Amino acid sequence: MSYSTPSDPTPTPGVEPAAPASSFAPPAGYAPAGVAPAPGGARGRRNPWGLAAIISAAVLVLLLVLQLFVQVGILLSQTYDLFGPITGILGIVEGFVALVTVVLGLVGLFQRDRSPVLAAIALGAGGFALLSAVLWNVLYPLILSAA
């Protein structure tokens, strides 16, 4: 009969023996195996310029809705002499806010290691509103005066 000696380890049931250590190391910039990546990646950090741009775009949308209600109110009150000046003032304010939105969106878009999503959305909205303001407040009166 043979008895095990203390120098012979007895395997524990259900436990695999440890694998020998290897000399493999992950490339630079990669996490070792078994480590979860950082949430959101490198470009997932918040972008304060993009947030400011999207807030400016929201103000722009509110101004456009306000202009719609003001124009309807003027037309319903039949004070047509106020329509031109009030619409012009609101158009200038909207153009200024659209310009601010475009600038904030551009600055937010080119921030390193920041998410460009909000800045890109605001840049599109601000660019469209700026183009609309230029067409409505500059070209439309020129076309009407030429006709």
Side-chain angles (χ1 to χ4, degrees):
M1 192 162 148
S2 82
Y3 292 100
S4 63
T5 62
S7 64
D8 295 335
T10 56
T12 308
V15 176
E16 295 290 325
S22 68
S23 62
F24 175 77
Y30 289 92
V35 176
R43 291 188 56 90
R45 294 182 10 193
R46 291 186 179 176
N47 188 343
W49 291 99
L51 181 63
I54 204 75
I55 290 171
S56 177
V59 169
L60 184 61
V61 169
L62 290 175
L63 281 172
L64 290 169
V65 170
L66 174 71
Q67 182 179 13
L68 176 71
F69 283 112
V70 166
Q71 287 177 346
V72 168
I74 290 172
L75 292 175
L76 288 177
S77 69
Q78 297 181 354
T79 53
Y80 303 117
D81 54 336
L82 293 177
F83 189 81
I86 290 178
T87 302
I89 290 170
L90 282 173
I92 291 170
V93 171
E94 289 165 7
F96 177 73
V97 174
L99 183 64
V100 168
T101 303
V102 167
V103 169
L104 289 174
L106 283 172
V107 171
L109 195 62
F110 293 110
Q111 292 293 306
R112 289 181 180 241
D113 299 329
R114 304 287 182 171
S115 176
V117 174
L118 290 180
I121 292 169
L123 182 62
F128 179 75
L130 188 61
L131 179 67
S132 174
V134 167
L135 290 176
W136 187 253
N137 293 314
V138 176
L139 290 181
Y140 186 71
L142 289 176
I143 293 170
L144 283 180
S145 66

